[in-house]
Amino acid sequence: MDKATQLVEFETMLLGRHSLRSRRGPDAMDRSAYILLSRLRMGGLMSIGQLSDALGLDASTLNRQTAAMMRTGVIERIPDPEGGMARKFRVTSKGERRLNAERALIVDALDSILADWPAEDIAAFVGYLRRFNTDIERRSGEYWPRPLATLPADH
């Protein structure tokens, strides 16, 4: 590997294979549900078409995923409050609880992994990840909403 981008490719491939979840089994949330719930939380009500655009997935894949998620009660499909024809999906209170629990598990794992990192290194890492993701989004034209929170002073 003689190009820096080859090293970036390799490390992002490895990152994509890791799971930060310590929990397995029937209560574990799969990655696609976690991403979809996160997007609905950040973006609000969305139709299949909007989810397809946002996630880069075809409608048939999303129909299967959302049907499974509705069966577990983490999302629901409602009429468009603005009177549009397409029905919209929203996160249920059960979905909010499950997403919060899953995110807490992941944050706990990250706390453990990064425990020995200096605060400056964590801040730099966040900055590079954000820059990398926003550059990908700018290139594709598909932006992901982000929380307005900044890095806490103790990290």
Side-chain angles (χ1 to χ4, degrees), residues 32 36 48-49 51-62 65 142:
S32 61
L36 200 150
I48 283 286
L51 285 168
S52 177
D53 290 343
L55 300 173
L57 298 172
D58 62 66
S60 64
T61 298
L62 282 165
Q65 289 178 349
E142 297 169 3

Side-chain angles (χ1 to χ4, degrees), residues 54-126:
L55 300 173
L57 298 172
D58 62 66
S60 64
T61 298
L62 282 165
N63 277 320
R64 285 189 302 277
Q65 289 178 349
T66 55
M69 293 171 71
M70 285 191 300
R71 282 192 301 274
T72 64
V74 296
I75 62 170
E76 60 188 351
R77 195 173 212 172
I78 62 167
D80 185 347
E82 296 177 9
M85 294 296 293
R87 294 177 56 88
K88 304 278 182 147
F89 291 97
R90 73 174 168 200
V91 180
T92 64
S93 57
K94 179 180 181 180
E96 288 285 345
R97 288 190 305 275
R98 295 270 320 269
L99 183 57
N100 290 340
E102 192 72 17
R103 180 158 284 138
L105 288 171
I106 294 169
V107 169
D108 286 348
L110 287 168
D111 284 341
S112 175
I113 293 164
L114 300 173
D116 296 332
W117 287 37
E120 303 80 40
D121 287 358
I122 295 172
F125 186 55
V126 169

Side-chain angles (χ1 to χ4, degrees), residues 38-46 145:
S38 294
R39 179 58 188 206
L40 284 172
R41 176 187 276 174
M42 293 300 301
L45 302 176
M46 297 178 81

Side-chain angles (χ1 to χ4, degrees), residues 12-52:
T12 56
M13 179 273 300
L14 287 178
L15 183 62
R17 73 175 262 292
H18 293 298
S19 173
L20 296 174
R21 293 176 288 150
S22 60
R23 188 171 40 138
R24 300 278 186 256
D27 287 341
M29 184 178 293
D30 71 32
R31 188 177 304 217
S32 61
Y34 182 74
I35 292 169
L36 200 150
L37 280 174
S38 294
R39 179 58 188 206
L40 284 172
R41 176 187 276 174
M42 293 300 301
L45 302 176
M46 297 178 81
S47 67
I48 283 286
Q50 290 168 319
L51 285 168
S52 177

